[in-house]
Structure formats: structure tokens, C-alpha cells
Amino acid sequence: MWRLKLINSFGVLYFTVVSTLVFVNKISVWWFLLGGLLWIGMLTWGAFDIRLNVFVKAITSNKGETRKRIAITFDDGPTLFTPMVLELLHKYNAKATFFCIGNQVSKYPLILKQTFVEGHLIGNHTQTHTTRMGFLSADEVTQEIELGEQTIENVLGIRPMWYRPPFGVTNPKIANALSKTHYKIAGWNIRSLDTVIDREQRIFERLKRKIRPGGIILLHDTSNKSVNVLEQLLIELTNQHYEMVTLDELLNH
Ligand SMILES: [Zn+2]
């Protein structure tokens, strides 16, 4: 419920002022409708854009970082593309963070183990990554988080400390479920859109423009396209003398 209170306070203030002005016939009642639409608009935008921190306080970068350090994160694995990602990370001496889906971990436990053993950080990304995530009850969200955690713990013997909400979607129910957990919540400030954009070159150019110290890059270890973009990115970051680190390292945790 992080910035939600701020938005709601503005909303209450707005409606108080408008009510008064409407009451003394200074302005039209349409101002109520305008305010209502703006309010709903802001909450909807907040639900879909984790960077705004409307419902939960997610870590989207390390703003204080002055050294050339950046965190690459991969969502939705492990998959059969993950070993190729690991090979590239090894080749360019990079460490990364992987937000894993429980169901995928059950399919590829050995790939998860390999990822962990090679020094990368493992985060929880729910058990099923259902597209209905935004419509689940708080209890159902809790269950998704706990099952995902258990599946990872069963394979690695450690409990993940980072969580990333599927699709970056948050709302009061998800915030409520998360408030009862130990998790640090990860967002991003450099989105590749690698699952949306078709052309590898366009994805890479988009990322290149946004490279900054302290940044958190979002990629997916789910396609050949993303693997190819990753190699271009790692070459670019190496040329720019960046150090590619895990989220814990980026945040000095
Ligand atoms: Zn995801």
C-alpha cells in the first residue's frame, strides 16, 4: 500500500474541494467525473507499472550507485535456453539473478542447480505464473508464493529471499500477501520487452540506450532471441567496462 495512501489522500482532497465548489455553484458537476476517471486511471497504471511503487515498494535500481555496476535479471525459467544463458554469463564473467517459476523448476531441477552452483542468485516468481495473477485472492497469491518457494527450496535446500511479481502486476491483494512474507521485492528500470519485440537488434538498441550504473535489466531465459540479445548486451557492457552483478551485490546486501 505504498504510494496508494498518497494517491488516495490527493483524491479525498480533490473531492472535498470539488464538492465545495459545486455546492456554491462555482463549477460543473462534471469535475467529479473527471476526478473519478483520473483516480481510476492512476490506480490502473500503478497496478501495471511496478516502477511507480503504488501498491508495493519494489526495488527498481540502486540509485546511489556510482560505479559501473549493473544487474541482469532473467524471468520465467528454468528452460532449455537457460544453459545457453549460463554459458554466455560464464564467458563474459557475469553474475545474474534468475526469477524462477516453480512449475519450470519441477521440470528442470538440474538446470536450477547448475544456475545456483555457478554463483547466480535465485529468486521466486510464483509456482504457476498464472495469467490470472491480478485477479487472485490474497490467499491464492500467498499460496502461489509459498508453493514457488517450497519448490525451489526442495531442489536447492535454501529459501529464496527475492520475489518478483509475474508481469510486474501488483494490487492491494498482492500487496497484502507480500506484506506477510520475508521477501525483498524486485522490479526493474531497464525493460527489454524481449517477449514482445520481434527484432533482436531493436531489443538490443533499446537496452543499450538505457544502460546506467545501478540499473536492473529485465530479460527472459525463454527464447533463442533473448539469448542472442544477451550476447550483444554482454559484449556492449564489457566494452563499457561494466561489472555484471547479482541483485544482492548491486544493493550491497
Ligand atoms: Zn514472468
Side-chain angles (χ1 to χ4, degrees):
M1 301 295 152
W2 208 57
R3 283 197 182 144
L4 183 61
K5 279 189 186 133
L6 189 70
I7 293 175
N8 286 347
S9 305
F10 272 118
V12 170
L13 184 70
Y14 177 92
F15 281 99
T16 311
V17 173
V18 168
S19 304
T20 313
L21 291 176
V22 167
F23 184 72
V24 296
N25 283 322
K26 287 272 186 225
I27 58 169
S28 141
V29 287
W30 288 100
W31 284 93
F32 279 118
L33 186 67
L34 179 72
L37 288 175
L38 273 174
W39 199 345
I40 292 167
M42 273 198 280
L43 294 185
T44 309
W45 185 14
F48 286 102
D49 194 338
I50 197 164
R51 290 171 304 174
L52 299 179
N53 280 327
V54 170
F55 298 104
V56 298
K57 181 160 175 28
I59 294 165
T60 55
S61 70
N62 178 357
K63 290 188 186 70
E65 183 62 270
T66 49
R67 292 165 293 175
K68 285 192 162 185
R69 297 169 100 218
I70 203 159
I72 307 176
T73 64
F74 297 93
D75 283 11
D76 300 356
T79 70
L80 292 175
F81 297 98
T82 311
M84 291 183 243
V85 167
L86 293 178
E87 204 178 308
L88 284 174
L89 292 174
H90 180 74
K91 182 174 167 190
Y92 293 93
N93 198 21
K95 291 288 181 266
T97 305
F98 292 78
F99 286 95
C100 298
I101 299 173
N103 282 348
Q104 291 299 116
V105 170
S106 303
K107 271 190 220 167
Y108 305 111
L110 290 180
I111 297 179
L112 180 76
K113 258 189 190 154
Q114 186 193 347
T115 308
F116 179 66
V117 166
E118 292 186 9
H120 304 293
L121 184 64
I122 308 296
N124 181 355
H125 197 43
T126 73
Q127 179 65 19
T128 72
H129 201 278
T130 168
T131 49
R132 291 176 52 249
M133 207 65 211
F135 305 99
L136 299 185
S137 68
D139 281 348
E140 288 170 314
V141 175
T142 302
Q143 201 179 6
E144 277 283 346
I145 297 170
E146 284 177 353
L147 278 175
E149 174 176 314
Q150 201 54 55
T151 311
I152 291 170
E153 197 174 351
N154 286 347
V155 176
L156 299 181
I158 57 123
R159 191 163 79 142
M161 300 303 287
W162 286 87
Y163 175 80
R164 175 173 278 160
F167 317 105
V169 168
T170 55
N171 61 32
K173 284 169 188 156
I174 294 172
N176 183 328
L178 279 169
S179 68
K180 292 171 194 146
T181 69
H182 63 284
Y183 281 106
K184 296 182 259 191
I185 302 160
W188 55 77
N189 67 343
I190 306 174
R191 189 175 202 171
S192 62
L193 294 179
D194 59 340
T195 56
V196 181
I197 300 173
D198 279 331
R199 278 186 49 229
E200 289 166 11
Q201 197 56 30
R202 250 191 78 203
I203 302 170
F204 169 66
E205 294 295 339
R206 186 186 153 83
L207 288 174
K208 189 179 160 187
R209 275 199 309 273
K210 298 177 177 210
I211 293 173
R212 303 270 186 291
I216 299 177
I217 300 172
L218 170 62
L219 278 163
H220 294 80
D221 49 336
T222 55
S223 72
N224 253 323
K225 181 174 66 179
S226 298
V227 173
N228 294 336
V229 170
L230 174 66
E231 176 141 42
Q232 289 188 68
L233 177 68
L234 287 169
I235 292 169
E236 179 65 30
L237 288 169
T238 306
N239 286 341
Q240 292 194 29
H241 305 290
Y242 265 85
E243 191 188 350
M244 289 69 86
V245 297
T246 65
L247 285 181
D248 274 340
E249 290 167 316
L250 189 78
L251 278 304
N252 305 309
H253 286 172

